[in-house]
């Protein structure tokens, strides 16, 4: 099994399960033109986020890490007409691209993009949020998770992306700050009685990685 196979399988399931979507395609294209890195979630992962939001009946969503708004659009589409999504983005350039993409997708009425370091903007939010999606710098994952938990209620779900790091997450002595951030996140979760969590390894067009899903229980 190799990257070529993973990509082919991703393409098969995408063609079988996800109809062509002009707004999402345009979002990826505008992100590329804007010089944003190609690190948005894959289409099937975006649909997973959408379904999780639907399954939880989310009316309020927090996203940490906007990039070009691709995952934002997937999530916001799951909201009812009176729902709200707040997404936090460090880079003003990324935020500008995301705002244009979100507006073009017809979701500007329920999405707010806030610019700045997330650890600076998180204290100013008002919860609770039914679903939180963390997909930003991995070094600060533990703090992002603490804030997401602070803004949650019993029944809320917190999803953290990119937790496998190509398998490097098992390296306790890693000098990679991102790996250590992910490990500290899971140490936090393991000792947090208010959540029930699991982690999944994934392969696909984006390579070998994974995500963690936590249910807030109390």
């Amino acid at each position: 099994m190799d990257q070529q196979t993973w990509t082919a399988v991703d393409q098969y399931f995408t063609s079988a399960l996800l109809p062509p979507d002009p707004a999402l395609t345009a979002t990826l294209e505008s992100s590329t033109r804007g010089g944003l890195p190609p690190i948005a979630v894959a289409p099937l992962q975006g649909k997973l986020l959408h379904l999780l939001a639907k399954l939880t009946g989310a009316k309020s969503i927090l996203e940490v890490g906007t990039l070009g708004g691709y995952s934002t659009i997937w999530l916001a589409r799951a909201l009812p007409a009176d729902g709200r999504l707040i997404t936090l983005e460090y880079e003003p350039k990324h935020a500008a691209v995301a705002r244009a993409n979100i507006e073009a997708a017809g979701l500007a009425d329920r999405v707010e993009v806030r610019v700045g370091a997330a650890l600076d903007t998180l204290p100013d939010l008002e919860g609770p949020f039914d679903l939180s999606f963390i997909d930003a710098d991995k070094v600060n994952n533990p703090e992002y998770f603490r804030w997401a938990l602070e803004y949650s209620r019993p029944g809320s779900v917190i999803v953290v992306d990119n937790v496998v790091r190509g398998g490097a997450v098992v390296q306790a002595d890693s000098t990679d700050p991102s790996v250590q951030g992910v490990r500290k996140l899971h140490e936090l979760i393991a000792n947090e009685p208010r959540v029930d969590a699991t982690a999944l390894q994934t392969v696909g067009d984006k390579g070998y990685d994974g995500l963690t899903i936590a249910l807030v229980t109390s």
Side-chain angles (χ1 to χ4, degrees):
M1 303 297 287
D2 55 21
Q3 182 60 59
Q4 184 176 2
T5 303
W6 300 342
T7 298
V9 172
D10 249 19
Q11 290 172 346
Y12 165 74
F13 283 124
T14 298
S15 63
L17 301 175
L18 304 183
D21 193 309
L24 288 170
T25 299
T27 293
L28 293 176
E29 291 173 347
S30 69
S31 296
T32 299
R33 289 194 304 270
L36 276 61
I39 56 174
V41 300
L44 293 167
Q45 295 166 335
K47 184 61 178 289
L48 173 62
L49 293 172
H50 177 86
L51 292 176
L52 285 173
K54 285 280 194 179
L55 287 167
T56 58
K59 294 184 177 180
S60 57
I61 298 174
L62 170 64
E63 180 181 51
V64 182
T66 315
L67 196 63
Y70 185 76
S71 56
T72 316
I73 291 170
W74 273 113
L75 288 164
R77 283 178 169 179
L79 290 168
D82 60 346
R84 63 171 183 139
L85 186 155
I86 296 178
T87 181
L88 310 179
E89 175 53 48
Y90 177 74
E91 293 285 351
K93 175 183 175 181
H94 296 179
V97 172
R99 286 191 178 110
N101 288 333
I102 291 162
E103 182 172 0
L107 296 165
D109 62 330
R110 67 197 69 177
V111 177
E112 178 184 357
V113 181
R114 296 196 183 186
V115 182
L119 293 183
D120 293 333
T121 55
L122 278 164
D124 297 328
L125 303 183
E126 293 184 7
F129 294 100
D130 302 313
L131 175 68
S132 295
F133 177 50
I134 300 172
D135 188 15
D137 63 291
K138 311 312 168 188
V139 175
N140 289 311
N141 265 351
E143 291 305 315
Y144 298 151
F145 188 89
R146 286 189 180 96
W147 276 108
L149 184 56
E150 178 71 19
Y151 288 127
S152 294
R153 56 168 181 77
S156 293
V157 172
I158 303 172
V159 181
V160 187
D161 201 12
N162 306 129
V163 300
V164 172
R165 316 304 301 164
V169 69
V170 301
Q171 299 170 5
D173 59 351
S174 174
T175 59
D176 184 336
S178 293
V179 171
Q180 290 301 330
V182 171
R183 288 181 64 88
K184 291 175 183 176
L185 165 68
H186 289 87
E187 291 168 8
L188 169 66
I189 293 173
N191 291 287
E192 176 51 70
R194 293 173 291 174
V195 301
D196 195 7
T198 191
L200 300 174
Q201 300 180 73
T202 61
V203 294
D205 190 47
K206 297 293 182 178
Y208 173 38
D209 213 323
L211 51 85
T212 294
I213 303 175
L215 172 68
V216 179
T217 57
S218 62

